[in-house]
Amino acid sequence: MKSSYFLLRLLRSGVQQGQNPLTDQVQRDDGAGQNHHHGPAGRGEGHAVEHPAQPAQPGKQRRVDDDRLDGYDDGKHLQKTPVLVQAPEDVSPLVPHVKAVKEGAPDEQDEIGAQTLLRGLEQAIEYIKGLHFDESDIEYLRSLNIFAEDFLEYLSTFRFTGDIYAIPEGTVVFPRESLIKVIAPIMQAQLVETALLTIINHQSLIATKTERIVHAAKGDGVMEFGLRRAQGADAGTYGARAAMIAGCIGTSNVLCGKMFDVPVKGTHAHSWIMSFPDELTAFRTYAKLYPSACILLVDTYDTLKSGIPNAIKVFKEMREAGIPLTFYGIRLDSGDLAYLSKKAKKMLDAAGFPDAVISASNDLDEYLIDSLKVQGATINSWGVGTNLITAKDCPSFGGVYKLAAVKDKTTGEFIPKIKLSENAEKITNPGNKTIYRIYDKENGKIIADLICLVGEKFDTNNSLLLFDPQETWKKTLLAPGSYTMRELLVPVFLNGECVYESPKVMDIQKYCKEELDTLWDESKRLVNPHTVHVDLSNELWQTKQKLLDSYHKK
């Protein structure tokens, strides 16, 4: 992959000459934000879901030619820290001699739901692998007359040499957790920010929206129909990929099917009907072309008086001709879907076609599907487009990229960093961290997630005290042997080399379903879902409090 994302990042976050972005241990943000309420401890039962995971280890590799630009990025909160350099005489005064940990994570609870489905890791991997600046990139940057030649020379041989840890695609994740952690020279860590954010934010958003729609459908098939309404071809294709992982049974995006080996599905348009002399002729022609996938769109003229009767006539002709009716039915795309579907069901049953599919489209989302279910609609297949592919009611995902630690070149230890804010939810969690998911051993349901510092040890044969990091009097004591733990972050790149193989999309979909099964039903509610708690270890909490106290004393 070429360096277009890097060009965007260079132009967006140039640091003024002489400015050192890491001289202070704290960043101050006085912006207002919404408070996030952290409720009582969660419940859980059962076994841990198996997925490859290894403890995250800080990266130790460093390129000689990056010695001046050593920095590091941790993956819990994707931060917008301006560490790139603007037009100095020499690069070295502007970038500290440290490695940095930067983290990418959902900043706070999004309106879209209580949990998020992580997507986009495969594309992030492809991006990092191909990350470079070609000759035309360097010439363009030079033409701007704002970058020093030694900096451009550095870019001309740029390759990512750091470590990246990430939560595998398809995993259920929650606010303020590190979705991805980058440990690298600070220049490298900062350059990849924009690309990681745009890839992971977008696909995670569409996957999360899709899961809510699939959940509302209660086992009915949901088809992704959104390409024409997506914000561009890439958003349509990669959004469809995310939708497939989240549970769609197929997509109308044929390119997505080709690229990711996922099922493609669809029906005909109204223009098909209108291009024939009459509706019946159009139906008959379509049935001859697609006898094993004969879903007829019945609302072009008159659903009850024309569309459904003509569809029934064609189904009878197919049966009389000995053509197996393996997958057939009707699609409703307008009108009162609850009323029309119930009428259609009676007509199809009376004609001897009780197994006919009744599919519906027309600006559907999870709330409308849920309402139609409550109204007794007989629809059993759903085509969802605009509201899915754009996540229309929550069109952005609040992933951020934050500096969490820098590496002391003398001791090799990570120095925790914290960003302050008037809003408690925007104060970052410092240090080089990892995440453990805690399950109830009896049922396999998630009790809570625990963010801790890398190197902390836990023994499930001992009791474990969980507490709310904001309202610390809220505590849950887990009895020895009553819970299991799984580390979520796995190594993806080590010393610049990819050590992770992305599963196929349909395999990720299967894993995603297993992940969703670890949630309590109360957490899947469309309205007022139960919050799965994300707690801090005592060691991490103490580290955070010490940093907070140290800056209040200044």
Side-chain angles (χ1 to χ4, degrees), residues 291-539:
S292 60
C294 188
I295 303 296
L296 302 175
L297 181 58
V298 296
D299 71 333
T300 303
Y301 302 120
D302 190 308
T303 300
L304 298 179
K305 294 181 179 180
S306 173
I308 297 174
N310 281 331
I312 289 172
K313 186 176 293 186
V314 170
F315 298 153
K316 286 181 177 179
E317 291 172 355
M318 294 174 69
R319 186 165 58 188
E320 290 168 0
I323 299 173
L325 295 172
T326 53
F327 184 74
Y328 73 106
I330 65 169
R331 176 162 72 97
L332 303 168
D333 191 50
S334 61
D336 188 323
L337 297 180
Y339 172 78
L340 291 174
S341 69
K342 287 184 274 190
K343 284 293 213 179
K345 179 63 175 172
K346 289 181 180 179
M347 295 169 70
L348 289 164
D349 286 355
F353 301 104
D355 60 342
V357 172
I358 300 178
S359 179
S361 47
N362 189 26
D363 287 334
L364 298 171
D365 64 9
E366 66 268 41
Y367 300 107
L368 184 51
I369 292 173
D370 184 65
S371 175
L372 288 166
K373 289 282 187 181
V374 171
Q375 295 174 63
T378 59
I379 300 161
N380 54 18
S381 178
W382 308 86
V384 188
T386 303
N387 292 312
L388 182 156
I389 205 65
T390 65
K392 188 175 180 180
D393 59 341
C394 184
S396 65
F397 182 79
V400 294
Y401 196 61
K402 301 294 184 184
L403 183 74
V406 294
K407 193 172 187 178
D408 188 296
K409 293 185 68 175
T410 302
T411 66
E413 298 294 323
F414 283 110
I415 304 170
K417 301 289 181 175
I418 192 169
K419 171 188 171 294
L420 296 185
S421 172
E422 294 298 316
N423 184 339
E425 288 301 320
K426 291 191 174 183
I427 298 175
T428 60
N429 293 317
N432 182 18
K433 301 176 294 295
T434 189
I435 309 165
Y436 284 94
R437 179 150 293 168
I438 304 169
Y439 303 89
D440 190 290
K441 193 172 183 178
E442 189 175 337
N443 284 351
K445 301 297 183 184
I446 298 174
I447 297 174
D449 281 359
L450 184 66
I451 304 174
C452 63
L453 296 171
V454 167
E456 289 193 62
K457 303 297 183 182
F458 302 94
D459 186 347
T460 56
N461 293 316
N462 297 329
S463 60
L464 180 65
L465 179 65
L466 303 175
F467 62 92
D468 187 308
Q470 300 295 331
E471 300 171 329
T472 55
W473 63 90
K474 295 181 178 179
K475 300 177 181 179
T476 298
L477 182 64
L478 302 180
S482 67
Y483 63 95
T484 61
M485 301 180 73
R486 172 169 74 101
E487 188 171 13
L488 296 185
L489 288 167
V490 301
V492 177
F493 283 86
L494 294 176
N495 297 331
E497 297 296 325
C498 184
V499 296
Y500 179 88
E501 183 176 352
S502 295
K504 294 182 177 180
V505 167
M506 298 310 290
D507 291 334
I508 302 175
Q509 184 191 78
K510 180 181 177 182
Y511 167 68
C512 181
K513 185 179 184 303
E514 294 172 351
E515 278 286 287
L516 291 167
D517 287 343
T518 66
L519 290 171
W520 290 84
D521 289 341
E522 292 83 351
S523 295
K524 301 177 187 178
R525 289 191 298 249
L526 299 179
V527 179
N528 296 324
H530 170 73
T531 300
V532 176
H533 306 308
V534 179
D535 298 324
L536 306 184
S537 70
N538 184 62
E539 185 175 346

Side-chain angles (χ1 to χ4, degrees), residues 246-314:
C248 281
I249 62 170
T251 174
S252 63
N253 188 329
V254 180
L255 179 59
C256 179
K258 176 186 176 183
M259 291 175 62
F260 303 114
D261 192 23
V262 299
V264 290
K265 296 180 181 291
T267 64
H268 60 78
H270 293 103
S271 60
W272 172 272
I273 308 294
M274 297 164 67
S275 67
F276 286 83
D278 57 73
E279 186 177 56
L280 183 58
T281 302
F283 284 175
R284 283 172 171 161
T285 305
Y286 190 82
K288 289 178 182 178
L289 291 171
Y290 302 103
S292 60
C294 188
I295 303 296
L296 302 175
L297 181 58
V298 296
D299 71 333
T300 303
Y301 302 120
D302 190 308
T303 300
L304 298 179
K305 294 181 179 180
S306 173
I308 297 174
N310 281 331
I312 289 172
K313 186 176 293 186
V314 170

Side-chain angles (χ1 to χ4, degrees), residues 199-212:
I199 292 169
I200 292 175
N201 278 351
H202 172 248
Q203 290 197 45
S204 297
L205 172 69
I206 303 307
T208 303
K209 179 65 172 180
T210 302
E211 188 280 323
R212 290 170 59 82

